[in-house]
Amino acid sequence: MPAYDDAHVAGGKRVLLAKPRGYCAGVDRAVITVEKALEIHGAPVYVRKEIVHNRHVVDTLRERGVIFVDETSEVPEGGLVVFSAHGVSPAVRTEAEERNLRTIDATCPLVTKVHKEVNRFARDDYDIMLIGHEGHEEVEGTSGEAPEHVQLVDTEEDVEKVQIRDPSKVVWLSQTTLSVDETMERVDQLRERFPEISDPPSDDICYATSNRQVAVKAMAAECDLVLVVGSRNSSNSQRLVEVALQAGARDSHLIDYASEVDEAWLDGVETVGVTSGASVPDVLVMELLEWLSERGWLDVQEVTTANEKISFALPRELRSDSGTTRSSVR
Ligand code: 10E
Ligand code: SF4
């Protein structure tokens, strides 16, 4: 293992390791949920969509007997299905009920919070501008709470396209895993069109997303290369690459595994920044540090911008059970 050293080494090869990085409370809870479901009910356990957007997590759980499906219609009558951490629309819940499926909801409580905001503003007959990425599962679940009130704002062009009924009854809400800076740009553009637009009652971009962006920003300008461990379909992981580049990193790449690092990226590089998305087990980061140490990057300095202490209770359906309290895919 590489040496962990707080001392600043002038010049030479070094790694700056972001903290916080990796698993957030919602991901840890969702992975434990699936593990407990397997423990209590035995295989197969069905999971609608990827429980979290990480290849390693999904492959590991699949080996243990999880069957990932795209829709609940693929689950046999009476089967047990877990809803992923990204949340589902009421239509998905209804379909599962109609097919007599047993369900466990692993939606992150911070995603559920946004669903509740949508319901509240829809009840008050607001037009809701949901800032988020088209086609992302979280956005589909959130807008599905009140499709007739929600309009998706992804790009700058979308700001021009949206239509409202009453300028005093417009609110913006957002996906939890967006770039904080890019979202504020979109809000400014919306506010230019709709000066009376209301803000969300509290931040929708969650603590984990914003903390990981703050940490990568703190080190990016010192880095010749920032390696972000995370999967291609992970919104928050992708955002870390963009934030690193915007904050001054000379180069940045998203990788699932150390084996995906192209040695050419390291040409002329002294300082390598390392971080990981909220769905990434830290073992993958440790493997990357090992890989880098074998190529001379032995000096690892942690850059800490926050200490996270948040954890969430397990879904109601599992709470009475004692046992696993930390996920084993870490
Ligand atoms: O693509 P995302 O970043 O939304 O998902 P992820 O599974 O990579 O990370 C966890 C984030 C969740 C569940 C959405 N809030
Ligand atoms: Fe919850 Fe945020 Fe993690 Fe998403 S990224 S699961 S909202 S804590």
Side-chain angles (χ1 to χ4, degrees), residues 47-50 68-74 137:
V47 176
R48 183 188 177 274
K49 310 283 184 192
E50 295 190 348
F68 290 94
V69 294
D70 250 345
E71 290 309 332
T72 46
S73 57
E74 296 165 56
E137 280 143 39

Side-chain angles (χ1 to χ4, degrees), residues 20-158:
R21 64 177 179 279
Y23 267 23
C24 61
V27 164
D28 202 29
R29 172 183 186 265
V31 177
I32 296 170
T33 298
V34 177
E35 288 174 341
K36 270 188 166 292
L38 276 170
E39 204 176 292
I40 299 165
H41 303 281
V45 166
Y46 291 84
V47 176
R48 183 188 177 274
K49 310 283 184 192
E50 295 190 348
I51 184 71
V52 297
H53 292 152
N54 184 263
R55 205 160 105 191
H56 178 75
V57 172
V58 168
D59 288 347
T60 308
L61 293 173
R62 191 180 283 123
E63 279 161 23
R64 295 189 195 163
V66 170
I67 299 176
F68 290 94
V69 294
D70 250 345
E71 290 309 332
T72 46
S73 57
E74 296 165 56
V75 182
E77 287 268 333
L80 176 69
V81 64
V82 179
F83 294 141
S84 84
H86 313 93
V88 292
S89 67
V92 171
R93 291 181 198 282
T94 307
E95 186 186 308
E97 247 174 66
E98 283 169 0
R99 306 204 52 249
N100 295 318
L101 304 183
R102 291 168 293 147
T103 58
I104 301 178
D105 188 1
T107 305
C108 176
L110 298 181
V111 173
T112 303
K113 185 204 80 164
V114 184
H115 282 226
K116 287 184 178 152
E117 289 169 358
V118 166
N119 279 316
R120 178 190 136 188
F121 284 105
R123 233 181 358 256
D124 293 343
D125 205 24
Y126 272 68
D127 284 313
I128 301 165
M129 308 290 118
L130 180 65
I131 304 178
H133 295 302
E134 183 144 29
H136 191 282
E137 280 143 39
E138 180 182 321
V139 157
E140 285 174 356
T142 308
S143 49
E145 289 287 348
E148 64 293 354
H149 285 272
V150 175
Q151 296 175 69
L152 182 66
V153 176
D154 186 345
T155 62
E156 192 174 346
E157 291 73 60
D158 294 338

Side-chain angles (χ1 to χ4, degrees), residues 54-309:
N54 184 263
R55 205 160 105 191
H56 178 75
V57 172
V58 168
D59 288 347
T60 308
L61 293 173
R62 191 180 283 123
E63 279 161 23
R64 295 189 195 163
V66 170
I67 299 176
F68 290 94
V69 294
D70 250 345
E71 290 309 332
T72 46
S73 57
E74 296 165 56
V75 182
E77 287 268 333
L80 176 69
V81 64
V82 179
F83 294 141
S84 84
H86 313 93
V88 292
S89 67
V92 171
R93 291 181 198 282
T94 307
E95 186 186 308
E97 247 174 66
E98 283 169 0
R99 306 204 52 249
N100 295 318
L101 304 183
R102 291 168 293 147
T103 58
I104 301 178
D105 188 1
T107 305
C108 176
L110 298 181
V111 173
T112 303
K113 185 204 80 164
V114 184
H115 282 226
K116 287 184 178 152
E117 289 169 358
V118 166
N119 279 316
R120 178 190 136 188
F121 284 105
R123 233 181 358 256
D124 293 343
D125 205 24
Y126 272 68
D127 284 313
I128 301 165
M129 308 290 118
L130 180 65
I131 304 178
H133 295 302
E134 183 144 29
H136 191 282
E137 280 143 39
E138 180 182 321
V139 157
E140 285 174 356
T142 308
S143 49
E145 289 287 348
E148 64 293 354
H149 285 272
V150 175
Q151 296 175 69
L152 182 66
V153 176
D154 186 345
T155 62
E156 192 174 346
E157 291 73 60
D158 294 338
V159 175
E160 298 311 316
K161 277 195 237 149
V162 287
Q163 299 294 332
I164 60 141
R165 295 162 300 158
D166 174 352
S168 69
K169 280 189 145 187
V170 192
V171 63
W172 71 271
L173 302 176
S174 87
Q175 188 179 334
T176 57
T177 51
L178 302 180
S179 147
V180 174
D181 295 338
E182 209 183 306
T183 303
M184 291 327 291
E185 274 175 35
R186 216 55 84 232
V187 172
D188 290 344
Q189 289 154 3
L190 281 167
R191 185 154 282 126
E192 233 170 80
R193 259 199 87 188
F194 313 120
E196 294 174 73
I197 193 166
S198 303
D199 294 323
S202 62
D203 290 343
D204 289 339
I205 297 180
C206 77
Y207 79 96
T209 300
S210 54
N211 282 351
R212 279 150 194 68
Q213 290 173 18
V214 168
V216 84
K217 264 189 192 174
M219 65 188 202
E222 289 190 60
C223 297
D224 302 305
L225 168 69
V226 171
L227 295 173
V228 178
V229 185
S231 293
R232 299 256 142 235
N233 60 343
S234 167
S235 165
N236 79 89
S237 305
Q238 285 175 334
R239 303 293 81 80
L240 291 173
V241 172
E242 294 166 4
V243 168
L245 292 169
Q246 279 152 12
R250 268 151 306 288
D251 192 13
S252 181
H253 297 275
L254 184 65
I255 49 163
D256 262 300
Y257 295 103
S259 57
E260 292 175 4
V261 180
D262 182 340
E263 306 246 2
W265 299 342
L266 296 166
D267 283 350
V269 164
E270 287 196 339
T271 302
V272 180
V274 171
T275 187
S276 55
S279 48
V280 179
D282 214 42
V283 64
L284 302 180
V285 173
M286 294 306 126
E287 283 168 15
L288 175 61
L289 295 182
E290 188 71 48
W291 188 97
L292 286 166
S293 77
E294 286 160 9
R295 285 152 184 84
W297 278 270
L298 286 151
D299 169 35
V300 180
Q301 299 162 28
E302 208 159 55
V303 177
T304 306
T305 51
N307 283 302
E308 293 178 345
K309 297 206 164 59

